[in-house]
Amino acid sequence: MFGSKSRTVLAVLAIILVAVAFPIQRTSQAQGEVTGTLNVMGFSLPDEIATVRVDQFKAAYPDVTVNITEGALDEQQFLTAIASGNAPDVVYMGRDVLSSYAVRGAIVPLTDCIDSMGIDMSQYRQAAVAQVTVNGEVYGIPEFFNSIMLFINNKALADSGLTPDDVDVSDWDKVAEINQALTRIEDGTLTRIGFDPKLPEFLPLWAMANGVSLLSEDGRTAQLNDPRVLEALQFTVGLHEPAGGRQAFMAFRDTWDFFGAQNQMVSDQLGVFPMEQWYMNVLANVSPDADITFKAFTGREGNPLTYATGNTWAIPRGSANPEAACAWMKTMTSVDTWVAAATARAELRAEAGTINTGVYTANRAADEVIFSEIVLPALTNETFKTGVEVILSVQDSAYAIPANPAAAEFKQAWQDAVNRVLNGEQSAEEALAQAQEEAQAALDEAWSQQ
Amino acid sequence: MLAGLAFISPWFIGFLVFTAGPMIASLGLAFTEYDVLNPPKFVGLQNFQRLLTDPRLGLSLGNSIFYTVLHVPLVMMVALGLALLLNRVGKAAGFFRTAFYLPSITPAVAVGALWLWILNPRIGLINRSLALLGIVGPGWTTDPNWIKPGIVLMSLWSVGSTVILYLAALRNVPPELYEAARIDGANGWQQFRHITAPMISGTIFFTLVVNTIASLQIFTEVYTMYFGNMNSGAAASAGLFYNIYLFRQAFEFLRMGYASAMAWLLFVIIMILTVIQLRTSNRWVYYEGA
């Protein structure tokens, strides 16, 4: 049929064809085509930090139609969408619950996505990556990174003859003294809380300050009945006493204009409290002249300490467009995108004449650019500049509850225990013993199903 | 016959698809371990055994029953009182009917958020009103002992639908009965006791059954107030109603099988209560022509 010359030509052509085609095929397998529709769940577009990044993605991937179902992640909606085969392509969720979904197969490991898109996981903060790593595999791309610091009302301290230097959370006896000194009751009515330990949500922080995590590093053993957790709980619950107990404390706290110009710091209704850094942004907007000092929260050894929280992107099982989802996750959390968003915010704040305290991401490389080139050079307000510096200084001291398959139940167990103690229903020992039993049972059950 | 079936078929199909079907499915799921994400695994009676040993189940059921015992009689009495007043109003009856009914159609989430403020121990409308009378109001939202009474107070917000039912029943009482009673010298209480109450007893019975069923299933307002973003912790035990705990098991802890067993337990409890109410109704409910 073919002569030897023809066979040679055909063979050469075949070799060339294979040589040319193979890399193309390999590229298409690795990279995937980024087109089609991308359905996003659990995300909102409340500000320029969100919209600018979405615009960046649209510019980078014009062939992708983005549909965002705005609103916080609704568990019912998410689960039924997956169960019915109508999963979104990419989902935005809290890092604290990711492991529960990961172990049940609701979201997929991102090994291929990270490899094919060349996502550099080393640029993300270690504490955030640990939260999205389950059984050695990465299931999420971390987004924001919330850290905690102390917010100190200088006026309250001055009234009591104290200075911010007196606020030293490494010395719990001193904290109790300051709390007593700052608490103000007039005509039998509580008018200022001295020190709000932020229970139940910050128990993990106080326990860590006392040298113990609520959960073992491998995520298998609850440590809620550890004497150091008990001590942390008893101490923080005790901080409510000068205010007249938890009821008086909460009845007063519920009246605060927390997000408004008459917030508890400006209105002198609170002395000191630990809080996430996003609240500094709130204060910078609504009360830029507030007389506040920001300080790092520390453990009892004096070491800076923060409890990391934040969200993550993940790809649900059944995602119809995992390539676009992967591209989305990479773009939304990349250095360039974050910098573009932070620049937009800086410009808007400059136009409005308001303070810009920046945006705190889980991408360490992005933060370095944002704060060294955009935020700090333009920040003239010394109070908030200090606040920004404090946050930047504690980010690497972040602690997070290890990933585990019973994340929701574990959290519920210790939070309920704290509430039972605060409500006077149980002693701290009883509450933590019950929580330990409940949490361990949930962990054992969840791990046994892996 | 065929035409009749054709007319009721939209409802019947809806009932099969959206009520009976899911109920039967949940009965099957009650015997499985199911997290929605993976195929159900048959576990026999394990979920029902768990019901017997779960301390929070007893707590949540107790909370729901406590609320029901407070809520149902109070709503019925308040609604009847308002209906009796409305029945005496002349031209303005339409306005008042609308005014009392409007809160019933307020979204439950909004009601929950609103009542958190109304019940606030320091600045809430209720305690401020009590303060005017020299009474120190309780910690409706902060004291575990007052959480449920506070929720009962909030439930009066939607009393309007029961008022409308009672008003319709009162309007159906023949006026000549009252006329005859007055001629016989009956006073107001006697007229109510011997004419009004028997004549509207069918409606009272209906509202008793319906309100009992609804109150045992209370969820949205309480979840909004105490278990959503505004979680204060005071209601962690006192406000943990049965359906809130069921929701948690299903959608937070992903124990859909156990949650289905919980749902069927509640169904059985409601059914038993309804049967008791039906059995006792022949002693006090008067049906014309019966």
Side-chain angles (χ1 to χ4, degrees):
Chain A
M1 188 173 169
F2 293 111
S4 63
K5 233 180 189 178
S6 301
R7 276 203 300 269
T8 307
V9 169
L10 278 173
V12 169
L13 281 173
I15 290 165
I16 291 168
L17 191 65
V18 168
V20 170
F22 185 69
I24 289 172
Q25 188 192 22
R26 210 173 48 178
T27 305
S28 72
Q29 270 182 346
Q31 194 75 16
E33 264 193 80
V34 183
T35 56
T37 301
L38 180 74
N39 293 306
V40 183
M41 186 184 274
F43 189 61
S44 293
L45 302 168
D47 57 18
E48 64 283 354
I49 299 297
T51 55
V52 165
R53 289 184 301 136
V54 171
D55 291 344
Q56 290 266 315
F57 175 81
K58 287 176 178 174
Y61 298 97
D63 295 336
V64 178
T65 305
V66 179
N67 294 328
I68 298 174
T69 306
E70 286 202 55
L73 184 69
D74 180 310
E75 294 134 335
Q76 271 177 288
Q77 188 185 18
F78 178 55
L79 292 172
T80 49
I82 292 174
S84 62
N86 295 305
D89 299 306
V90 67
V91 64
Y92 187 63
M93 62 170 66
R95 291 199 291 268
D96 58 342
V97 295
L98 174 133
S99 51
S100 289
Y101 291 121
V103 295
R104 288 174 173 87
I107 53 177
V108 298
L110 301 179
T111 313
D112 290 346
C113 161
I114 290 164
D115 290 347
S116 66
M117 275 283 170
I119 300 174
D120 175 13
M121 292 307 291
S122 68
Q123 69 187 322
Y124 300 104
R125 297 190 182 281
Q126 200 184 332
V129 175
Q131 282 183 294
V132 296
T133 304
V134 182
N135 295 331
E137 287 204 273
V138 174
Y139 279 82
I141 303 294
E143 222 211 24
F144 288 104
F145 194 82
N146 294 323
S147 306
I148 293 164
M149 64 178 166
L150 291 170
F151 289 62
I152 300 166
N153 170 4
N154 294 336
K155 183 187 179 301
L157 264 70
D159 284 353
S160 307
L162 299 164
T163 68
D165 291 340
D166 294 312
V167 180
D168 177 9
V169 288
S170 68
D171 184 344
W172 285 9
D173 291 337
K174 194 88 181 279
V175 171
E177 280 173 32
I178 286 171
N179 179 43
Q180 187 75 52
L182 296 182
T183 301
R184 192 173 59 196
I185 296 175
E186 294 169 333
D187 301 326
T189 305
L190 178 66
T191 56
R192 188 204 289 143
I193 287 170
F195 193 111
D196 179 2
K198 289 286 289 176
L199 290 183
E201 57 268 45
F202 285 0
L203 178 70
L205 179 73
W206 289 101
M208 203 64 197
N210 208 23
V212 62
S213 167
L214 300 187
L215 183 64
S216 64
E217 213 166 317
D218 61 5
R220 290 176 181 270
T221 311
Q223 297 173 160
L224 300 176
N225 58 352
D226 187 289
R228 289 166 294 176
V229 178
L230 175 64
E231 188 184 14
L233 179 57
Q234 286 172 326
F235 167 70
T236 48
V237 167
L239 291 177
H240 295 77
E241 292 314 310
R246 177 70 171 184
Q247 284 181 42
F249 188 100
M250 288 308 297
F252 181 45
R253 200 168 84 169
D254 287 350
T255 67
W256 292 349
D257 182 21
F258 200 76
F259 294 98
Q262 294 305 309
N263 58 73
Q264 69 285 355
M265 304 307 275
V266 170
S267 302
D268 195 22
Q269 295 168 313
L270 174 65
V272 184
F273 78 140
M275 188 63 193
E276 284 127 341
Q277 93 285 328
W278 58 261
Y279 192 62
M280 178 173 61
N281 292 348
V282 172
L283 294 179
N285 270 326
V286 299
S287 50
D289 300 323
D291 189 10
I292 304 170
T293 297
F294 298 102
K295 280 182 85 170
F297 186 94
T298 62
R300 295 185 83 174
E301 306 291 321
N303 49 309
L305 182 66
T306 184
Y307 174 51
T309 59
N311 279 24
T312 180
W313 291 105
I315 301 179
R317 183 179 77 194
S319 167
N321 200 346
E323 294 85 5
C326 188
W328 169 272
M329 295 192 299
K330 181 185 179 179
T331 307
M332 291 294 280
T333 62
S334 73
V335 174
D336 291 348
T337 310
W338 278 124
V339 169
T343 304
R345 167 159 288 181
E347 286 167 359
L348 284 169
R349 295 282 163 94
E351 276 173 35
T354 54
I355 297 166
N356 176 29
T357 55
V359 53
Y360 299 84
T361 81
N363 187 324
R364 186 200 311 271
D367 277 7
E368 278 169 15
V369 177
I370 289 167
F371 289 97
S372 65
E373 295 178 19
I374 301 167
V375 178
L376 288 170
L379 192 53
T380 54
N381 182 305
E382 283 305 317
T383 297
F384 289 99
K385 191 168 190 170
T386 306
V388 170
E389 286 164 349
V390 168
I391 287 296
L392 296 178
S393 73
V394 302
Q395 283 177 316
D396 289 337
S397 313
Y399 153 75
I401 289 181
N404 68 89
E409 267 185 286
F410 181 78
K411 184 178 176 181
Q412 200 61 62
W414 65 256
Q415 287 211 344
D416 279 356
V418 176
N419 285 324
R420 286 194 299 273
V421 179
L422 289 169
N423 294 332
E425 296 164 33
Q426 277 181 320
S427 69
E429 292 93 334
E430 289 168 341
L432 288 176
Q434 183 184 325
Q436 173 70 20
E437 211 172 297
E438 290 168 353
Q440 195 56 58
L443 287 165
D444 290 345
E445 186 183 337
W447 280 112
S448 70
Q449 291 164 2
Q450 301 316 301
Chain B
M1 175 71 177
L2 278 176
L5 287 172
F7 274 112
I8 66 161
S9 63
W11 175 87
F12 194 71
I13 291 164
F15 171 75
L16 283 178
V17 173
F18 296 112
T19 305
M23 277 182 75
I24 293 162
S26 77
L27 181 60
L29 288 176
F31 296 94
T32 67
E33 189 178 273
Y34 179 48
D35 65 4
V36 184
L37 305 162
N38 297 294
K41 273 194 302 191
F42 182 76
V43 292
L45 294 172
Q46 196 177 292
N47 288 325
F48 294 94
Q49 286 166 339
R50 191 178 193 139
L51 289 174
L52 301 173
T53 56
D54 184 349
R56 278 201 177 78
L57 185 116
L59 171 75
S60 62
L61 187 58
N63 284 337
S64 291
I65 290 169
F66 182 95
Y67 168 78
T68 301
V69 168
L70 276 181
H71 162 83
V72 175
L74 188 65
V75 161
M76 288 171 68
M77 284 189 285
V78 170
L80 186 55
L82 288 171
L84 287 166
L85 286 174
L86 280 176
N87 201 31
R88 289 166 171 261
V89 175
K91 287 183 179 177
F95 166 77
F96 283 110
R97 269 204 308 269
T98 308
F100 282 122
Y101 186 70
L102 266 180
S104 303
I105 56 171
T106 313
V109 171
V111 172
L114 172 71
W115 274 84
L116 257 188
W117 282 103
I118 292 174
L119 292 169
N120 182 282
R122 278 180 65 135
I123 59 166
L125 194 64
I126 291 172
N127 277 9
R128 283 193 171 189
S129 303
L130 290 172
L132 294 175
L133 304 170
I135 301 166
V136 178
W140 301 105
T141 59
T142 56
D143 182 347
N145 298 314
W146 284 96
I147 292 281
K148 281 189 284 290
I151 293 167
V152 169
L153 265 186
M154 178 193 68
S155 71
L156 293 177
W157 178 260
S158 55
V159 76
S161 50
T162 310
V163 171
I164 298 299
L165 287 170
Y166 286 158
L167 187 60
L170 289 169
R171 292 277 162 94
N172 279 334
V173 180
E176 56 268 27
L177 295 180
Y178 292 111
E179 202 177 321
R182 277 196 297 272
I183 291 167
D184 289 341
N187 60 24
W189 166 247
Q190 288 168 325
Q191 287 176 48
F192 175 80
R193 168 78 181 77
H194 297 288
I195 299 168
T196 309
M199 293 302 286
I200 67 166
S201 57
T203 306
I204 291 174
F205 173 64
F206 173 76
T207 57
L208 172 69
V209 172
V210 168
N211 278 317
T212 302
I213 292 170
S215 63
L216 283 168
Q217 297 183 74
I218 185 168
F219 173 79
T220 311
E221 295 94 331
V222 182
Y223 193 85
T224 305
M225 285 172 84
Y226 296 116
F227 294 91
N229 291 334
M230 293 178 272
N231 182 0
S232 71
S237 299
L240 186 69
F241 289 105
Y242 195 87
N243 268 8
I244 290 172
Y245 187 49
L246 190 154
F247 175 85
R248 266 191 187 172
Q249 287 289 350
F251 293 101
E252 289 177 24
F253 307 154
L254 306 183
R255 287 208 188 98
M256 204 58 70
Y258 183 56
S260 297
M262 282 184 68
W264 274 91
L265 174 65
L266 184 63
F267 176 79
V268 169
I269 290 167
I270 288 173
M271 198 167 67
I272 291 167
L273 285 173
T274 307
V275 167
I276 292 168
Q277 287 167 339
L278 276 165
R279 286 282 166 88
T280 57
S281 68
N282 53 16
R283 296 180 198 168
W284 60 275
V285 179
Y286 166 73
Y287 293 104
E288 266 185 294

